[in-house]
Amino acid sequence: MTYKLSPWSLTDLFPGLDAPELESAFNDLETQVAGFEKLRPQLKADMLVSRFLEIVKDSEESTKLANKLYSFASLAFAADTQDQSILALLGRIQQFMAELENRTLFFSLWWKDLDDSNAKRMLDASGDYRYYLEEIRHFKPYTLSEPEEKVVNLKNVTGSSALITLYDAITNRYTFNLEVDGETKELTRGELMVYVRGADADLRAKAYQELYRVYGADGPILGQMYQTSARDWRNENLTLRRFASPIAARNLGNDIPDEAVDTLLAVCKKNAPIFQRYFRLKAKYLKMPRLRRYDIYAPLVKSDKTYAFDQAARIVFDSFNAFSPEVGKLARRVFDENHLDSEVRKGKQAGAFCASVTPEMTPWVKLNYQGHADDVATMAHELGHAIHSMLAAHHSVFTFHSSLPLAETASTFGEMMLVDRLLAEEKDESVRRDMLFRQVDDSYATIMRQTFFALFEKQAHEMVAQNASVEELSAAYLENLKEQFGDAVEVSDEFKWEWVSIPHIYHTPFYVYAYAFGQLLVLSLYQQYKAEGEAFKPRYIKILSAGGSQPPEKILAEAGIDIRSEKFWQGGFDVITQLVDELERMPV
Ligand SMILES: [Zn+2]
């Protein structure tokens, strides 16, 4: 059979927006939660462990149903951000979930409050729920009283969550005009960004200028949304919950020690000169005295090579199969069950993601496939995510999702396997060289770029607390870029609006360091794979299969990795340095 570009089907969740099953799900969930509320008097320090575990099991069932409802609405929204009935459903579900969360809040509050010896009694018998239950207790020092927690939840629906939905709705309807071959085209952001990776230097510049013309026009408003959401983050996490810093709230959620994150960011910052060296080399190849920020993703060879969707799917399956046929089979499941939205449509959310709803269900993957080499890489990336969660499907709904810092392991590893496959098949030396350059481009984009976003977020959250204006934040962002690129890259003024165009820093503050974490980790794992071959595979599968059932530090320690050590992180950069050394030795 031939794989074709298509929207996904959400019928494995619900048959449609008007389906009676959707209403029944609301009702069932309501009934389950009402039943759960009745259990409240049974929660006692000396209760039977078996009773406690039954209650956890009940809440697992409700969580699955809630995940299905929520995913149905948010996936439908991603597929069409402009449909009013989807927006209405999403709003209804957000409201409904917040109310349910409030009604069931007593359980986690009781659990956090339970004395250590009784908690140990329950934990020792809790099997796969253990880490989930431990994680809840980690938040004990930062938890408010039940009525306060309820107010926070309810106010988030119309406050910070609504603000972010609004940010998405505003920015996803942007269109961009670009003159290509004498003809002005109206493009989505995804379509515009193709020109940034194109061979035409003038178009690269114009594409970026157009991107930031549009974002810049709304810059003051988008910036104000960011200020508001950063203030909300601080009000909640520092003023009310007493976290030590804005990033500490994310670190605890990731269960990564603050020191490990500090070490990661510091080592990354120290290694910025490697990429500056690389950009100087790239300028030579592009015959430019100095690279402009517009040019950092420029290809070395003028290649208009595109991959038909079916061809891309097969290359990606092959590269997974070469690692393990079992892994390849998992990737195919996403296609075969029609859980893939691959085509580009107006109103569809830009970018790509993988959503895992429950352990039993094959994940859903969103792409905006346009046939370029990057799109093939993105396909391998998102399918890597899907494989990760399918390998962890034997865990509970609470423990099958890996925590954020490990979340990019399989995706990045999948991309590297793809590149190896493409390199092995490519005979043309200049195309091979271009692919090696692209590998460093990608490392730049996932490690250095994301690190400097995280550094900016740290700074921006402090600046907002000091009442900085949007103008001042933009100036700080421009400084951040200049530090990142040194004198190796010329950064023009419109890049001061880049930060308002990064959805992650709005959606999930401080998420971005997980990319640097993941990529450096994978560089090191991939070295191990190349050195050890077959012997490495079970260790890797074990890391993925653990999902989120253990602390990330422990999962990695079992694979011989110490995330607190500077040396470990530097090891990832040593791989990149070798690659840049090799490229510098090649005759230009
Ligand atoms: Zn990813």
Side-chain angles (χ1 to χ4, degrees):
M1 75 170 280
T2 312
Y3 292 111
K4 292 194 180 70
L5 285 170
S6 67
W8 53 33
S9 160
L10 299 178
T11 49
D12 286 344
L13 290 167
F14 293 100
L17 283 170
D18 304 318
E21 287 87 342
L22 200 58
E23 277 318 306
S24 318
F26 276 105
N27 292 332
D28 290 349
L29 200 51
E30 167 62 41
T31 311
Q32 287 177 17
V33 169
F36 193 78
E37 282 178 296
K38 291 211 184 75
L39 301 174
R40 188 168 184 161
Q42 298 183 24
L43 294 174
K44 299 228 169 62
D46 62 353
M47 73 190 292
L48 284 175
V49 169
S50 56
R51 188 71 200 106
F52 171 76
L53 291 177
E54 278 165 29
I55 293 174
V56 177
K57 184 104 196 96
D58 281 355
S59 86
E60 182 181 13
E61 287 313 309
S62 309
T63 303
K64 282 185 189 173
L65 188 53
N67 282 5
K68 282 187 185 177
L69 263 179
Y70 185 77
S71 301
F72 180 68
S74 59
L75 292 173
F77 175 68
D80 187 350
T81 59
Q82 307 298 315
D83 183 309
Q84 293 305 313
S85 55
I86 294 172
L87 274 170
L89 178 67
L90 189 62
R92 177 182 171 193
I93 287 180
Q94 282 170 342
Q95 175 73 32
F96 184 67
M97 293 302 167
E99 284 167 14
L100 294 190
E101 209 179 302
N102 274 353
R103 287 164 58 190
T104 54
L105 198 57
F106 66 87
F107 176 76
S108 63
L109 292 175
W110 171 81
W111 171 245
K112 277 185 246 189
D113 218 32
L114 185 65
D115 65 275
D116 285 346
S117 83
N118 275 306
K120 184 174 183 304
R121 193 165 61 85
M122 318 274 181
L123 283 171
D124 285 346
S126 61
D128 196 60
Y129 297 128
R130 184 181 185 111
Y131 179 56
Y132 159 69
L133 293 168
E134 282 173 352
E135 265 281 88
I136 298 177
R137 282 176 68 85
H138 290 165
F139 283 87
K140 186 172 175 169
Y142 311 102
T143 300
L144 310 173
S145 70
E146 185 172 353
E148 288 171 313
E149 290 289 351
K150 286 182 171 175
V151 172
V152 170
N153 275 345
L154 279 183
K155 285 292 177 187
N156 275 348
V157 176
T158 48
S160 56
S161 303
L163 189 68
I164 299 312
T165 306
L166 200 56
Y167 170 84
D168 281 346
I170 291 176
T171 55
N172 280 306
R173 59 192 281 186
Y174 287 160
T175 54
F176 305 88
N177 297 319
L178 190 68
E179 199 187 307
V180 184
D181 299 332
E183 184 198 341
T184 300
K185 294 187 174 181
E186 193 189 73
L187 304 169
T188 64
R189 181 176 179 173
E191 290 165 336
L192 180 74
M193 295 321 278
V194 169
Y195 294 96
V196 155
R197 291 170 183 267
D200 185 327
D202 192 41
L203 271 182
R204 290 198 295 267
K206 283 194 177 136
Y208 271 121
Q209 286 156 3
E210 174 65 3
L211 178 70
Y212 298 124
R213 180 190 67 78
V214 172
Y215 273 91
D218 276 348
I221 294 167
L222 302 177
Q224 196 183 349
M225 290 173 140
Y226 183 81
Q227 289 170 316
T228 309
S229 100
R231 271 190 210 283
D232 179 77
W233 186 265
R234 190 174 203 93
N235 285 343
E236 178 178 335
N237 291 303
L238 274 69
T239 312
L240 297 174
R241 301 190 187 280
R242 309 259 166 222
F243 277 98
S245 66
I247 199 173
R250 172 72 53 215
N251 296 347
L252 188 71
N254 289 342
D255 198 14
I256 296 288
D258 290 343
E259 309 88 89
V261 176
D262 289 345
T263 306
L264 164 71
L265 293 178
V267 172
C268 287
K269 200 172 165 179
K270 198 174 91 189
N271 282 280
I274 294 179
F275 288 101
Q276 294 169 8
R277 236 179 83 198
Y278 168 72
F279 289 132
R280 283 192 201 98
L281 176 69
K282 194 161 178 177
K284 255 191 240 168
Y285 273 93
L286 293 173
K287 303 195 169 42
M288 292 179 154
R290 185 154 80 124
L291 221 56
R292 307 166 302 169
R293 170 62 185 80
Y294 308 131
D295 306 313
I296 62 172
Y297 302 120
L300 291 198
V301 285
K302 195 178 168 166
S303 157
D304 292 328
K305 187 163 181 170
T306 55
Y307 299 81
F309 183 67
D310 182 64
Q311 186 192 5
R314 283 173 205 286
I315 296 170
V316 171
F317 294 155
D318 280 354
S319 70
F320 285 139
N321 278 331
F323 184 85
S324 138
E326 187 206 354
V327 167
K329 213 184 284 171
L330 293 175
R332 255 197 317 275
R333 229 164 79 189
V334 178
F335 284 71
D336 294 345
E337 294 183 19
N338 203 9
H339 282 205
L340 178 71
D341 192 330
S342 47
E343 64 184 9
V344 177
R345 292 186 304 275
K346 198 170 165 191
K348 177 177 164 182
Q349 202 181 50
F353 66 63
C354 168
S356 303
V357 181
T358 70
E360 297 80 14
M361 302 189 98
T362 299
W364 274 264
V365 168
K366 188 194 74 176
L367 303 174
N368 276 283
Y369 188 83
Q370 296 178 83
H372 304 278
D374 293 337
D375 295 312
V376 187
T378 304
M379 184 192 288
H381 181 103
E382 299 306 336
L383 288 173
H385 281 303
I387 288 162
H388 196 167
S389 77
M390 288 188 269
L391 283 172
H394 53 291
H395 295 294
S396 74
V397 75
F398 303 126
T399 49
F400 84 116
H401 273 133
S402 73
S403 75
L404 279 184
L406 290 185
E408 296 298 336
T409 311
S411 54
T412 318
F413 202 91
E415 278 190 68
M416 295 184 77
M417 292 194 296
L418 174 75
V419 169
D420 267 2
R421 174 109 205 149
L422 294 173
L423 276 174
E425 282 172 4
E426 187 58 63
K427 301 278 178 283
D428 184 334
E429 264 314 306
S430 67
V431 175
R432 285 174 55 84
R433 184 159 52 199
D434 186 54
M435 283 163 78
L436 290 172
F437 268 80
R438 280 192 184 268
Q439 260 194 303
V440 189
D441 286 349
D442 288 347
S443 296
Y444 161 74
T446 22
I447 299 172
M448 205 47 67
R449 179 170 153 83
Q450 307 298 331
T451 296
F452 276 84
F453 283 156
L455 293 169
F456 173 71
E457 284 188 272
K458 282 179 81 167
Q459 183 187 5
H461 276 252
E462 292 314 320
M463 288 178 69
V464 170
Q466 307 295 323
N467 308 307
S469 66
V470 172
E471 210 42 39
E472 286 164 331
L473 289 166
S474 287
Y477 187 73
L478 213 46
E479 278 310 304
N480 168 291
L481 288 179
K482 288 185 174 154
E483 187 181 353
Q484 183 180 169
F485 291 116
D487 60 4
V489 177
E490 178 192 332
V491 179
S492 43
D493 208 44
E494 66 272 19
F495 282 91
K496 71 179 182 190
W497 288 121
E498 185 176 20
W499 62 286
V500 301
S501 77
I502 308 298
H504 271 322
I505 71 172
Y506 285 81
H507 282 247
T508 321
F510 306 104
Y511 176 89
V512 291
Y513 76 71
Y515 284 114
F517 189 113
Q519 174 91 35
L520 288 167
L521 170 66
V522 170
L523 284 174
S524 140
L525 289 174
Y526 209 74
Q527 285 296 99
Q528 293 180 23
Y529 171 42
K530 284 190 160 165
E532 299 171 36
E534 285 301 316
F536 166 82
K537 291 179 181 176
R539 200 159 71 236
Y540 176 66
I541 298 288
K542 194 176 166 206
I543 292 176
L544 300 189
S545 307
S549 63
Q550 282 179 5
E553 191 172 14
K554 188 165 169 235
I555 293 174
L556 293 175
E558 281 175 12
I561 290 164
D562 174 10
I563 60 169
R564 292 175 195 247
S565 107
E566 199 171 312
K567 199 166 146 248
F568 165 67
W569 298 114
Q570 187 57 47
F573 283 104
D574 293 346
V575 176
I576 299 168
T577 307
Q578 282 163 24
L579 198 53
V580 175
D581 286 346
E582 196 184 317
L583 291 172
E584 277 179 340
R585 277 196 300 270
M586 288 180 179
V588 180

